[in-house]
Amino acid sequence: MNYQEKHTKGFISNFIKSFWEFETCEKECNYEILPDGFFDLIFEIKNGQITKVSLTGVWTEQIQISISKNTKLIGVRFKLISSEYVFKQSIKELKNTKTELPLTILDFQSLDLYNFEKFTDSITEKLHYGLKNLKEIDSRKFELFKILYERKGDISVQELSERIIWSSRQINRYFNSRFGFSLKTFCNILKCHSSLKHIANGKLFPENDYYDQAHFIKQVKQITGSTPTNLHLNKNDRFLQLTTIQAT
């Protein structure tokens, strides 16, 4: 398989974490996807044509996927605030699943499918224009996700509530109604995901605010379904994120 990832900069980075491209060769690939705290718009490309466009929800558990041989996937990894200001809809019903979108969405068919840089630059331009022309973005939500992603979930609900002047009850109501899970669950996912790079490199001890080693192992297993040791071993390239970390 071939994999590359491009991180965003500037204003658009408040809404999109990165773009990624994954390409299979002469055989089908089977992987498990681990929760990461984002959702993706995915373009499936075969023989130089977009054959499928999918929108995922947020993964809160490990998900098994299969990717056909000779297939290219280009993905846009969105931060949660984008559900409201890019897609203008709740993605609660998409939790741990995905839905297909029209191939004509935002006229992506006209983009250069052979050049990853040009493709992602064009998407950035289209989305940046729409976001810049929004009448208003709720400052509390903007700051909420800015803090959560910067701190990688390593912040208490109380501190977060005090910093953005929004009650914890209202924040949890917002998360449950729009995404289908609580703020605490989201923080745990972000913390666990931020540990994957350390785990891939053999650092099987907590880097974030876990009580102790036992708590770290318990939390990682609860979210990924596997222990840090099994994730590190990544037998048969089972876990896609661990494989791509090692590939990059």
Side-chain angles (χ1 to χ4, degrees):
M1 65 93 179
N2 297 309
Y3 179 83
Q4 62 176 314
E5 188 169 350
K6 174 184 174 183
H7 290 267
T8 56
K9 298 178 181 179
F11 175 73
I12 200 70
S13 67
N14 292 294
F15 301 89
I16 299 173
K17 178 183 185 288
S18 62
F19 299 96
W20 53 267
E21 182 181 70
F22 182 96
E23 192 167 8
T24 60
C25 299
E26 293 298 322
K27 64 177 182 178
E28 179 181 88
C29 294
N30 297 289
Y31 295 105
E32 286 192 21
I33 300 290
L34 305 175
D36 60 8
F38 303 90
F39 67 100
D40 292 73
L41 180 66
I42 303 173
F43 302 89
E44 181 178 296
I45 301 163
K46 293 183 178 181
N47 300 317
Q49 298 290 325
I50 296 177
T51 57
K52 186 184 296 183
V53 180
S54 302
L55 181 67
T56 76
V58 181
W59 310 128
T60 62
E61 59 189 34
Q62 71 274 29
I63 303 291
Q64 294 184 345
I65 64 165
S66 295
I67 306 172
S68 303
K69 64 180 182 179
N70 300 319
T71 299
K72 180 190 290 186
L73 302 178
I74 297 180
V76 188
R77 185 162 291 134
F78 285 99
K79 296 181 178 181
L80 267 60
I81 193 172
S82 296
S83 68
E84 186 164 352
Y85 294 106
V86 175
F87 295 94
K88 298 178 174 57
Q89 66 181 61
S90 164
I91 56 172
K92 177 180 178 179
E93 301 302 321
L94 289 178
K95 185 179 74 172
N96 295 325
T97 187
K98 64 181 180 180
T99 188
E100 288 191 27
L101 301 179
L103 298 180
T104 54
I105 182 173
L106 294 178
D107 194 31
F108 287 134
Q109 286 278 15
S110 63
L111 303 184
D112 188 341
L113 303 179
Y114 294 97
N115 189 310
F116 181 63
E117 286 292 327
K118 288 184 179 179
F119 187 87
T120 56
D121 286 347
S122 297
I123 293 176
T124 299
E125 184 178 349
K126 286 176 179 286
L127 295 178
H128 192 276
Y129 176 81
L131 289 167
K132 279 292 189 180
N133 285 278
L134 284 173
K135 292 183 179 179
E136 184 178 356
I137 297 177
D138 189 325
S139 60
R140 292 179 307 175
K141 294 173 185 175
F142 192 89
E143 189 66 14
L144 169 72
F145 289 110
K146 186 174 184 292
I147 293 170
L148 285 169
Y149 284 112
E150 284 180 352
R151 295 281 293 268
K152 300 176 182 177
D154 196 3
I155 185 171
S156 70
V157 174
Q158 181 179 348
E159 181 184 349
L160 184 63
S161 174
E162 291 173 353
R163 284 186 61 176
I164 64 176
I165 315 176
W166 197 9
S167 76
S168 57
R169 179 177 295 181
Q170 289 175 320
I171 297 173
N172 269 309
R173 186 180 300 124
Y174 170 70
F175 265 83
N176 281 300
S177 64
R178 182 159 288 274
F179 311 116
F181 48 81
S182 69
L183 170 61
K184 183 178 179 180
T185 294
F186 183 61
C187 287
N188 287 338
I189 288 172
L190 289 179
K191 285 171 61 178
C192 178
H193 177 67
S194 73
S195 299
L196 291 184
K197 187 171 183 178
H198 301 291
I199 291 172
N201 292 324
K203 297 179 181 178
L204 307 181
F205 50 85
E207 294 280 340
N208 292 314
D209 186 21
Y210 293 96
Y211 299 126
D212 52 29
Q213 181 75 6
H215 181 232
F216 172 62
I217 293 171
K218 180 180 179 181
Q219 285 289 300
V220 169
K221 188 172 183 180
Q222 181 179 341
I223 291 168
T224 68
S226 296
T227 64
T229 298
N230 285 335
L231 291 170
H232 170 65
L233 293 174
N234 196 18
K235 290 183 178 179
N236 302 314
D237 290 332
R238 171 185 170 188
F239 304 106
L240 182 57
Q241 285 102 324
L242 276 298
T243 301
T244 57
I245 286 172
Q246 293 163 351
T248 54

